[in-house]
Every structure is written in C-alpha cells, then in structure tokens.
Amino acid sequence: TFEPGYKIGAYTVVRMLGQGGMGDVYEVEHERLGTRYALKVLTAGESCDGLLKNKFLAEGKLLARLKDPRVVRVFDLNIDERSQLPYFVMDLVLTAEGQPQSLADIEFEGLDEDRIFGWFRDLAVALDYVHAQGVVHRDVKLENVLLGESDRAVLSDFGISRFFGEAMRQEVDAVKTMASKAVTGSRLILGTRGYMAPEVVRGEPATPAADSYS
C-alpha cells in the first residue's frame, strides 16, 4: 500500500479510499493543478503478469471512453516508475461530507422509497448507456455503485467487464477472457455470488440482460 505523501507521477497520495480484488483506490492530488481525483493501482505485486496488466489497462482505456455522469470516468493512465505498477486516474466520487460511500454502506430499512428509486433509475440509465457501447459490466453489485455529492448513483469497477461490441474491443485493445473448460469439465465463471444471473451461473456468456438481473 502507498502511504499519504507518496508520489505517483504528477499525483500525491492523500488517503486510501478502498481495496478490491485487483486494485487499491486512493484519493490523490495533482501537484500542479491542486485538484483531487481517485487513483486506482493494480496491486498484484510480483504475481502481476502480462495478462493481468493488460486487462487492468483495458479497464482504464474503456472508462476513458465512457462519457456519462453516472459512470466513473478516467482521465489519465500510466505506470508508476518506482513500483512499476499500472494505474489510472478517475473521478473522485465522494458524498457531500467528503466521504467515500457505496450502496453497500446504506441501511435500506425505513429509507425513503423515492431516494431508492432515484438510485435505481441512475443505475438503469448507466447500464443502458454502457450496453449501447457494446460492454457488459458483469459485476453489478452494491459495492460497485458509488454515491456522489448530489446523491447520484455512479457505476464503477469494470475490472471483469465483457465486450460484445467488436468496435469497442478493438479500440481499447482488450484482452478476450475465455470461459475455459478444464479436464474436469468445470468452467471459469466471473462475477459475484448472489448477484449473477442463472444463465451465468450455468456457464453461459454474460449479456446485458445479466447486468439487468444483477
């Protein structure tokens, strides 16, 4: 992990915001502009092979091309000189109190239904846009829906997304993830238990409908 004050390119680490399966996310400040962003860095360490790096970079390239206020945007993509870990810089999504929050942090019982509907609408609009670009998110869950200052829901973490549109795949030079069948007949299934659509659990390719189910 990077401590506050660590320099990554033109950015200085302010604090850690969260940790995920493929990367850690930090709040950072641009040394010349003084503006703050979220920075995601791949944290596989020495086990970080070429495939993982390429998939991580493809996620950054994808988010740089998605332009909707309900989807996290990426502004910069590079490799840290000291650690040699790839990173990308994206929207800093914080609440009005300046804290990171996702729908997983919300206590829904007794919550105003109009507020819940507003988040659901934001997410539905975000997914409509993403699907129109030829992308399936594949990991829609409470933890990956962030809440911003205006209480808008913002979709994040496209680390295991799937491209079904060839134009977008070629544009970001994405690595094609195969659901490979092993000798035992088992299949590689990407997603989060409890959110995956039944057909995905059966080993079928994830489609926009599977995102809607999640």
Side-chain angles (χ1 to χ4, degrees), residues 2 13-14 22 28-29 34-35 39 50-51 56 76 83-84 101 111 117 127 133 135 154 157 190 204 209:
F2 298 143
V13 172
V14 176
M22 282 187 66
V28 297
E29 182 174 295
T35 48
L39 182 147
L51 178 62
F56 184 86
D76 195 4
S83 67
Q84 287 300 301
Q101 188 175 49
L111 203 62
F117 176 76
L127 286 175
Q133 310 309 308
V135 178
V154 182
D157 202 339
L190 297 178
E204 299 173 20

Side-chain angles (χ1 to χ4, degrees), residues 159-176:
I160 62 170
S161 59
R162 171 178 177 263
F163 297 81
F164 64 89
E166 193 58 34
M168 180 66 82
R169 182 195 301 281
Q170 292 180 356
E171 190 171 348
V172 303
D173 192 25
V175 176
K176 190 171 184 180

Side-chain angles (χ1 to χ4, degrees), residues 108-152:
F108 282 90
E109 187 173 354
L111 203 62
D112 180 70
E113 291 185 1
D114 288 340
R115 191 180 180 200
I116 298 174
F117 176 76
W119 296 333
F120 187 88
R121 179 187 56 213
D122 287 341
L123 183 54
V125 171
L127 286 175
D128 274 349
Y129 171 77
V130 168
H131 295 157
Q133 310 309 308
V135 178
V136 179
H137 187 280
R138 283 207 292 196
D139 202 18
V140 177
K141 58 183 178 182
L142 294 174
E143 290 83 355
N144 288 339
V145 182
L146 308 179
L147 296 178
E149 287 187 15
S150 60
D151 207 33
R152 170 177 285 168

